[in-house]
Amino acid sequence: MQCPVCGAEAEDLSSGEFDGLIVGCKRCGHFAVSDAALNDFLRLDFDQRVATLDRARKAAEPGSPPLVTVAALD
Ligand SMILES: [Zn+2]
């Protein structure tokens, strides 16, 4: 799959337990984007996607991958 943040080749780690995309990217790391947020997330420009992921990373529980939700897009 293509990384939704940087566009590089990335691993699709999505599982049936999570409603959205789980990405393993060499550049961006391991993160998740909820299904509800995905379309709007992809419409952001590159800098905004990086900044949104950065915010999600800071908000993530230690040990869990950052999760981009609709709330994180504001
Ligand atoms: Zn990436």
Side-chain angles (χ1 to χ4, degrees), residues 48-60 66 68:
Q48 289 173 308
R49 292 197 302 271
V50 170
T52 302
L53 178 58
D54 203 46
R55 280 203 305 274
R57 213 176 260 138
K58 284 173 186 148
V68 175

Side-chain angles (χ1 to χ4, degrees), residues 3-8 10 25-29 31:
C3 173
V5 175
C6 71
C25 173
K26 286 196 180 93
R27 287 190 213 177
C28 310
F31 64 96

Side-chain angles (χ1 to χ4, degrees), residues 1 9 14 17 22 30-32 34 37 44 51 53 57 66 68 74:
M1 71 178 292
E9 185 59 32
S14 302
E17 289 159 41
I22 302 177
H30 183 187
F31 64 96
S34 81
L44 299 173
L53 178 58
R57 213 176 260 138
V68 175
D74 295 327

Side-chain angles (χ1 to χ4, degrees), residues 14-22 32-43 67-71 73:
S14 302
S15 77
E17 289 159 41
F18 174 67
D19 200 12
L21 209 59
I22 302 177
V33 184
S34 81
D35 224 20
L38 188 60
N39 279 340
D40 286 341
F41 184 68
L42 292 173
R43 261 187 233 116
L67 169 62
V68 175
T69 59
V70 174
L73 295 173

